[in-house]
């Protein structure tokens, strides 16, 4: 009986070893790390109350989608004031244009008189003084027109200044509309509707979760075997005994060595100099931020 039990025990043990060998390969991975994401923190560009802020953590947003609005009342009133100021200047501009037309007509009348006096002067029916008076009057009108045109140029510059101020206000009004800078998932929300915000204050964090980056660390000896654009095999835990294999692409390699991050367990490993590497991995929903992962540079193994 003991011999039979012993044989059963040895058979079960061997089967367990064989099963582990089938599910999890004996080859150690080349590098280890954790998944992270390229997130974007959206901040307010203007000061005011949040009149609208319709988003929650986990929401899916499209690039350019509006999710909030900062109070625009003061900016709108300022724009109305500038528009009224511009209308007033334009009214002065029209008056100046009318003045120029009047003076030009007066000058034209003198030009007619000058032609008439020129003919009369040839027949000795007019005096030189009459001609001089008319010529002097025409010169006066020319100076008046030049002076009025100077006023017109000055008013035009005033309109240009007001237009520039209106453009600045419109730009600020545009910044009051809070939109998603990229398509992605809202990771964190820092403000609520009705709160007062100031320029530079963080409103929410968003990231594209269609892919994640596995940040790994390689030694100087391994560095020669990795390059930008290289395809690698990424392993994540499936069960206690099996892994799920994914394909990743190396997108970044640090140009400077650093000490192994403190998340490494042993002090001996933390004092080693390593190079950080990012591996971009498509995410089908199974990858999560902070999840551990492994990399094998030779996919054939």
């Amino acid at each position: 009986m003991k011999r039979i039990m012993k044989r059963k025990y040895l058979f079960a043990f061997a089967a367990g070893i064989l099963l582990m060998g089938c599910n999890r390969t004996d080859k150690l991975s080349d590098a280890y790390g954790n998944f992270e994401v390229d997130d974007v923190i959206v901040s307010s560009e203007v000061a005011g109350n949040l009149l609208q802020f319709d988003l929650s953590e986990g929401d899916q947003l499209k690039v350019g989608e509006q999710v909030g609005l900062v109070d625009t009342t003061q900016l709108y009133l300022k724009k109305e004031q500038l528009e009224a100021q511009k209308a007033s200047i334009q009214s002065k501009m029209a008056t100046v244009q009318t003045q120029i037309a009047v003076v030009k007509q007066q000058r034209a009348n003198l030009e007619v008189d000058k032609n008439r006096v020129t003919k009369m002067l040839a027949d000795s029916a007019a005096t030189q003084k009459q001609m001089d008076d008319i010529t002097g009057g025409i010169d006066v009108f020319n100076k008046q027109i030049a002076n009025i045109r100077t006023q017109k140029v000055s008013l035009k510059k005033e309109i240009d200044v007001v237009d520039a101020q209106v453009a600045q206000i419109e730009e600020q009004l545009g910044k009051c509309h809070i939109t998603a800078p990229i398509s992605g998932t809202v990771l964190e929300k820092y403000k609520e509707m009705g709160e007062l915000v100031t320029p530079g204050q963080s409103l929410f964090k968003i990231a594209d979760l269609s892919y994640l980056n596995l940040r790994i660390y390689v030694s100087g000896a391994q560095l020669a075997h990795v390059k930008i654009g290289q395809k690698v095999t990424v392993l994540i835990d499936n069960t206690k005994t099996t892994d799920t294999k994914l394909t990743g692409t190396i997108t970044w390699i640090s140009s400077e060595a650093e000490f192994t991050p403190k998340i490494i367990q042993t002090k001996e490993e933390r004092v080693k100099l390593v190079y950080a590497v990012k591996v971009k991995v498509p995410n089908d929903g199974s990858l999560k931020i902070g999840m551990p992962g492994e990399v094998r540079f030779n996919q054939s193994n």
Side-chain angles (χ1 to χ4, degrees), residues 107 109-115 117-118 121 127-143:
R107 186 182 63 180
N109 293 338
L110 278 185
E111 292 286 356
V112 173
D113 290 342
K114 181 180 179 181
N115 292 334
V117 171
T118 300
L121 190 61
T127 64
Q128 184 63 42
K129 184 179 183 307
Q130 288 177 304
M131 177 61 74
D132 292 341
D133 289 343
I134 293 174
T135 302
I138 291 174
D139 290 340
V140 169
F141 287 142
N142 285 334
K143 290 178 180 178

Side-chain angles (χ1 to χ4, degrees), residues 91-105 148:
S91 176
K92 292 179 182 179
M93 180 82 78
T95 301
V96 167
Q97 192 65 38
T98 301
Q99 291 176 351
I100 291 177
V102 169
V103 176
K104 281 185 175 181
Q105 184 59 52
I148 296 173

Side-chain angles (χ1 to χ4, degrees), residues 134-169:
I134 293 174
T135 302
I138 291 174
D139 290 340
V140 169
F141 287 142
N142 285 334
K143 290 178 180 178
Q144 287 180 354
I145 292 173
N147 181 56
I148 296 173
R149 282 175 174 167
T150 301
Q151 296 177 30
K152 183 179 178 181
V153 171
S154 178
L155 291 173
K156 180 64 170 62
K157 289 182 178 179
E158 289 184 29
I159 291 178
D160 291 341
V161 171
V162 173
D163 284 340
Q165 292 175 334
V166 170
Q168 289 178 341
I169 294 296

Side-chain angles (χ1 to χ4, degrees), residues 125-255:
T127 64
Q128 184 63 42
K129 184 179 183 307
Q130 288 177 304
M131 177 61 74
D132 292 341
D133 289 343
I134 293 174
T135 302
I138 291 174
D139 290 340
V140 169
F141 287 142
N142 285 334
K143 290 178 180 178
Q144 287 180 354
I145 292 173
N147 181 56
I148 296 173
R149 282 175 174 167
T150 301
Q151 296 177 30
K152 183 179 178 181
V153 171
S154 178
L155 291 173
K156 180 64 170 62
K157 289 182 178 179
E158 289 184 29
I159 291 178
D160 291 341
V161 171
V162 173
D163 284 340
Q165 292 175 334
V166 170
Q168 289 178 341
I169 294 296
E170 289 178 342
E171 182 183 4
Q172 289 179 301
L173 284 170
K175 292 178 179 178
C176 290
H177 297 265
I178 303 166
T179 58
I182 61 172
S183 296
T185 303
V186 177
L187 300 181
E188 296 181 30
K189 180 181 178 182
Y190 306 117
K191 288 290 182 180
E192 297 294 336
M193 188 171 65
E195 290 191 60
L196 179 66
V197 296
T198 57
Q201 256 187 347
S202 299
L203 301 177
F204 66 97
K205 181 191 291 185
I206 186 173
D208 180 5
L209 299 183
S210 63
Y211 71 91
L212 264 65
N213 293 315
L214 178 60
R215 179 184 285 267
I216 58 175
Y217 297 89
V218 299
S219 65
Q222 292 176 301
L223 193 61
H225 302 289
V226 298
K227 61 182 180 180
I228 302 294
Q230 178 180 345
K231 300 293 184 180
V232 298
T233 298
V234 176
L235 303 178
I236 59 173
D237 293 338
N238 184 17
T239 66
K240 290 183 178 180
T241 58
T242 63
D243 293 322
T244 297
K245 288 186 177 182
L246 303 171
T247 300
T249 306
I250 296 177
T251 59
W252 175 80
I253 302 173
S254 175
S255 59

